[in-house]
Amino acid sequence: MDDKTASKNISSEGDKLMEELIQTLPQEKDWVGSTLYQYQGFWYPFFAPKAVIAFQNHFKAHETDIFLITMPKSGTTWLKALIFSIANRKQFSLTQSPLLTTNPHELVPFIDINIYLKNRTPDLENGKFPSPRIFATHTPYGTLPSSILKSNCRIVYLCRNPLDQFISDWHFFVNNFPRNGDFKPFSIEEGFERFCKGTHAFGPFWEHVLGYWKMSLEHPEKVLFLKYEDLKKDIASNLKKVADFLSYPFSEEEIRQGVVEEISKLCSFETLKTLEVNMTGVRPVGLKNSAFFRNGKVGDWVNFISPLMADRMKQLCEEKLGDSGLRFDLLGTED
Ligand code: PAP
């Protein structure tokens, strides 16, 4: 047997064992009736656990790696565009940016649910991922591979107020994914109940954000903690903060030339949403690129969630976030 066949056999045997292990995990339903599995305290979409476990077991971090970490629907696409632009600005002028013709998810892959999902032992050293390697993930802090925690690589964590995150996630699933069999998608009210209990993709919300929040307080040189609402309020100073944190600071000259404003504009919701590639392109799994650009507003939840539900969320936030120092402004809007 040649090496290739042997390693294929080992990996399919490993996959079989992993599949068996996954079937023993607690199960729940997502908004459209697909299975969620609970692994190490968090709920994963049916396709994710094997990818996350392979990532956790095998990934070797480089000191220069950059990790973009989010709960889904917290502004991942935006963060990918911003950090890709910061790190590659010497290589591509902004008028020639790959972002003009390529969806941000293509330029910055999810390390687990894109790369390790396709291949449990991918070759990440073959030059396909030049330094700095920029990867995204929704994996919670406690499940990250130990090599990420031990190395000096950087993590930028972006979160969003839970009401907007939930509403964005609910729309994304219900509008873009086929329901499982004749399953009737959960209504917003039912979905909200489940969100409050933490049974949603990559939930519970609070444990996810608190994991990275605490780490950002303990190791500010390693984890930069950002909020979607703050980026919306003041993108320029947040962009500078991210660039400094990643050791790609903007020079005086760049600031004078307006590079910060140009990157902000290129990566804005309005620009990205209206690019041909994002209006008409389709992701390899069949999902439309346009699904990642719904309305991009702060406070959109108010159109879907009753004041009573919002009150409940406010109380839940107080209870869960306790004296951690982390707060979400649930009443904030963009204007
Ligand atoms: P992901 O985690 O599944 O990759 P993500 O990009 O976080 O998805 O979620 C999409 C949300 O970010 C959408 O929010 P909405 O449903 O409330 O509209 C999308 O509109 C918003 N979004 C995408 N790009 C941008 C951007 N450039 N600026 C601000 N918001 C954006």
Side-chain angles (χ1 to χ4, degrees), residues 73-78 105 160 168 228 267 292 294-296:
K73 308 299 139 202
S74 302
T76 320
T77 314
W78 191 11
H105 290 286
R160 188 178 191 183
S168 179
Y228 181 96
C267 301
F292 292 92
R294 191 178 62 95
N295 72 10

Side-chain angles (χ1 to χ4, degrees), residues 70-81 105 110 138 158 160 164-165 167-169 171-172 228 232 264 266-273 291-298 300:
T70 55
M71 285 288 285
K73 308 299 139 202
S74 302
T76 320
T77 314
W78 191 11
L79 192 64
K80 286 183 175 189
H105 290 286
F110 287 105
H138 296 314
L158 177 64
R160 188 178 191 183
D164 281 336
Q165 194 268 337
I167 285 299
S168 179
D169 200 44
H171 278 101
F172 182 74
Y228 181 96
K232 276 278 180 180
S264 307
L266 172 66
C267 301
S268 70
F269 179 79
E270 292 70 23
T271 305
L272 292 184
K273 183 185 168 81
F292 292 92
F293 305 95
R294 191 178 62 95
N295 72 10
K297 291 223 177 329
V298 174
D300 183 47

Side-chain angles (χ1 to χ4, degrees), residues 147-332:
S147 97
I148 293 187
L149 306 179
K150 284 184 203 142
S151 95
N152 283 325
C153 68
R154 303 293 155 100
I155 293 175
V156 180
Y157 184 78
L158 177 64
C159 65
R160 188 178 191 183
N161 83 67
L163 291 174
D164 281 336
Q165 194 268 337
F166 162 65
I167 285 299
S168 179
D169 200 44
W170 186 86
H171 278 101
F172 182 74
F173 273 88
V174 172
N175 296 334
N176 297 295
F177 287 93
R179 60 203 59 178
N180 196 1
D182 53 8
F183 185 88
K184 190 168 160 283
F186 289 129
S187 64
I188 286 186
E189 288 71 18
E190 288 169 303
F192 184 76
E193 277 303 316
R194 285 168 177 264
F195 185 92
C196 291
K197 283 195 209 128
T199 52
H200 55 99
F202 299 95
F205 174 89
W206 295 276
E207 280 75 356
H208 203 288
V209 292
L210 279 174
Y212 288 99
W213 170 250
K214 287 181 184 154
M215 203 56 201
S216 74
L217 297 180
E218 282 166 29
H219 297 285
E221 73 297 343
K222 171 133 196 111
V223 182
L224 177 67
F225 190 95
L226 300 171
K227 289 184 189 160
Y228 181 96
E229 295 75 20
D230 294 341
L231 262 58
K232 276 278 180 180
K233 238 183 251 158
D234 181 358
I235 186 65
S237 62
N238 277 291
L239 202 54
K240 286 187 210 151
K241 195 199 274 183
V242 174
D244 287 344
F245 172 75
L246 296 175
S247 304
Y248 286 86
F250 291 103
S251 66
E252 291 291 322
E253 181 61 13
E254 284 181 308
I255 290 174
R256 247 195 323 274
Q257 286 173 351
V259 174
V260 176
E261 287 70 23
E262 277 176 38
I263 293 181
S264 307
K265 188 159 175 240
L266 172 66
C267 301
S268 70
F269 179 79
E270 292 70 23
T271 305
L272 292 184
K273 183 185 168 81
T274 50
L275 291 172
E276 182 68 20
V277 63
N278 293 328
M279 289 199 295
T280 60
V282 178
R283 311 274 314 119
V285 283
L287 187 62
K288 290 180 183 159
N289 286 343
S290 59
F292 292 92
F293 305 95
R294 191 178 62 95
N295 72 10
K297 291 223 177 329
V298 174
D300 183 47
W301 63 264
V302 82
N303 298 309
F304 304 95
I305 282 183
S306 72
L308 213 64
M309 287 155 80
D311 265 353
R312 177 159 168 220
M313 180 60 79
K314 218 172 137 198
Q315 274 178 21
L316 209 49
C317 276
E318 275 166 27
E319 208 178 284
K320 297 278 187 182
L321 300 176
D323 58 5
S324 65
L326 177 60
R327 289 283 168 271
F328 290 103
D329 175 11
L330 294 184
L331 300 180

